[in-house]
Amino acid sequence: RFIAKPCALGLKVQANGPQKAQPNAILEKVFTAITKHPDEKRLEGLSKQLDWDVRSIQRWFRQRRNQEKPSTLTKFCESMWRFTFYLYIFTYGVRFLKKTPWLWNTKQCWNGYPYQPLMPDLHYYYIVELSFYWSLMFSQFIDIKRKDFGIMFTHHIVTVTLITFSYVTNLTRVGTLTLCLHDAADVVLEAAKMANYCKCQKLSDLLFLTFAIVFIVSRLGIYPLWILNTTLFELYEALGNFPALWVFNVLLVILQILHCFWSYLIIKAAYKAISKGKVAKDARSDIESSSDEEETVPRSKTPHSTVTTNGTSGANGTNGYLTGGPCSEEH
């Protein structure tokens, strides 16, 4: 409110939200009480009742749905808050870990386990990360429902469970490595989204491609070779079999499956960026789970005289991967 908003206004980020639908009591009643996505039969009935063409009614419903989406200014402020947090916590994690022996030798994660002292710095690192992911889990229900709501919710559940479980079982050393590794890509992602909201397209594309490289290298390369290697093999070799080992590894493997899914989406977006010269709309966008793109029902011969212009598509994300400027062939 006091830092991000003045910065956004100074960078000339658009403050107004999507265009509002014109007031109409009948359509509003259908929208709030019956459906936000009327089928063809209902559209035809409303067309006869209001003497509007079907296209105008479709446009009204699309604009009404878009009304509830946040403005670019709001999304910039949220991205700046997340960028600030990720940058701080990643820097803190690097400064903390570079003084620890287990950063350079992962076998040290299991030296003396389970009788490893809980250092104040490590405790603080864990509590701050856990509180942040709890906040993401709750805010997801308040934000607009996105296409990968289920995947993101699963990710937050797994992350909170992993942090809590590793803290309770004192598997915190490898936990700090996992946390720091995951924060690296998120810093670049939020910076790319802020550049996108400021309409700095070249910088946004560069940051997005940087994010794609950092994400894929860290999540598909370093994570399995560094984290999964020590939890699956070095931990078993050092301590043998015990129940917490299997629970911990199952959660880490689920996280890796999610990494593979997101990497596929990111590679698709990066390919479009290279082939088209700019970052196209990513499959992981902040558009509602039911797409608000223009319907293909043809116009009637006598369009309503008070048809409003098309509403904005809100193609810029707040919680997901970057989405660039709209491409005409995709609408």
Side-chain angles (χ1 to χ4, degrees):
R1 181 176 301 172
F2 302 110
I3 299 173
K5 188 175 180 180
C7 289
L9 295 175
L11 293 168
K12 298 180 180 179
V13 175
Q14 186 178 358
N16 58 314
Q19 181 178 348
K20 292 186 178 181
Q22 63 185 50
N24 187 291
I26 295 173
L27 295 179
E28 185 68 29
K29 185 176 180 180
V30 173
F31 183 87
T32 55
I34 301 174
T35 178
K36 295 182 179 181
H37 301 272
D39 55 24
E40 189 174 345
K41 186 177 179 181
R42 191 176 296 279
L43 286 170
E44 290 175 358
L46 290 169
S47 176
K48 292 176 182 177
Q49 185 178 357
L50 295 171
D51 195 25
W52 285 24
D53 66 283
V54 172
R55 191 74 164 186
S56 301
I57 297 172
Q58 288 177 323
R59 186 178 294 112
W60 187 95
F61 273 93
R62 186 177 62 256
Q63 290 177 342
R64 182 64 182 83
R65 290 192 296 267
N66 288 342
Q67 265 181 227
E68 300 173 2
K69 295 182 179 181
S71 65
T72 305
L73 177 64
T74 302
K75 292 187 284 188
F76 178 91
C77 291
E78 186 176 70
S79 285
M80 189 171 181
W81 140 242
R82 293 191 183 199
F83 171 79
T84 305
F85 174 82
Y86 284 129
L87 182 62
Y88 164 73
I89 204 66
F90 176 69
T91 305
Y92 179 90
V94 170
R95 291 182 62 189
F96 166 72
L97 285 171
K98 71 180 184 181
K99 299 180 292 184
T100 62
W102 61 86
L103 175 64
W104 316 107
N105 180 9
T106 52
K107 290 184 178 180
Q108 290 293 324
C109 291
W110 323 118
N111 187 23
Y113 181 84
Y115 305 107
Q116 296 170 341
L118 182 63
M119 296 177 285
D121 290 347
L122 191 153
H123 172 76
Y124 171 79
Y125 190 24
Y126 251 72
I127 293 301
V128 172
E129 288 274 20
L130 181 60
S131 62
F132 178 72
Y133 281 104
W134 269 115
S135 73
L136 289 186
M137 187 185 296
F138 287 121
S139 65
Q140 194 175 20
F141 293 98
I142 302 170
D143 294 338
I144 295 167
K145 192 172 182 179
R146 293 170 173 82
K147 290 180 181 179
D148 66 344
F149 175 86
I151 298 293
M152 284 303 297
F153 185 69
T154 303
H155 172 266
H156 295 331
I157 288 286
V158 171
T159 303
V160 168
T161 306
L162 262 173
I163 295 173
T164 306
F165 184 79
S166 61
Y167 185 86
V168 169
T169 56
N170 208 26
L171 294 165
T172 51
R173 291 187 177 183
V174 72
T176 56
L177 298 178
T178 307
L179 289 170
C180 190
L181 181 66
H182 281 72
D183 290 334
D186 292 324
V187 176
V188 187
L189 169 62
E190 298 302 333
K193 286 159 65 176
M194 287 193 295
N196 193 35
Y197 299 145
C198 296
K199 297 183 180 179
C200 300
Q201 191 62 47
K202 290 184 179 180
L203 177 60
S204 175
D205 293 349
L206 177 62
L207 287 170
F208 179 79
L209 294 176
T210 304
F211 159 73
I213 293 168
V214 173
F215 186 95
I216 292 168
V217 169
S218 61
R219 309 290 176 95
L220 299 188
I222 299 174
Y223 179 79
L225 295 176
W226 194 36
I227 304 297
L228 291 182
N229 177 64
T230 190
T231 58
L232 287 170
F233 304 109
E234 292 178 353
L235 174 56
Y236 183 82
E237 192 178 304
L239 302 170
N241 191 9
F242 60 101
L245 179 149
W246 297 105
V247 176
F248 193 52
N249 278 307
V250 166
L251 292 170
L252 289 172
V253 169
I254 292 173
L255 206 56
Q256 179 61 15
I257 293 170
L258 295 175
H259 294 163
C260 294
F261 172 76
W262 279 317
S263 296
Y264 164 73
L265 298 182
I266 292 167
I267 290 169
K268 255 187 18 175
Y271 174 76
K272 287 182 181 180
I274 295 169
S275 61
K276 296 181 181 179
K278 67 176 182 177
V279 176
K281 187 190 301 179
D282 190 2
R284 166 60 179 123
S285 68
D286 77 325
I287 297 177
E288 292 173 285
S289 54
S290 48
S291 177
D292 288 344
E293 293 177 0
E294 187 77 22
E295 289 87 349
T296 57
V297 180
R299 291 181 183 271
S300 66
K301 294 181 180 179
T302 56
H304 191 263
S305 59
T306 58
V307 174
T308 56
T309 56
N310 287 345
T312 56
S313 64
N316 296 322
T318 57
N319 189 31
Y321 296 135
L322 175 68
T323 58
C327 299
S328 59
E329 62 269 26
E330 290 181 347
H331 279 271

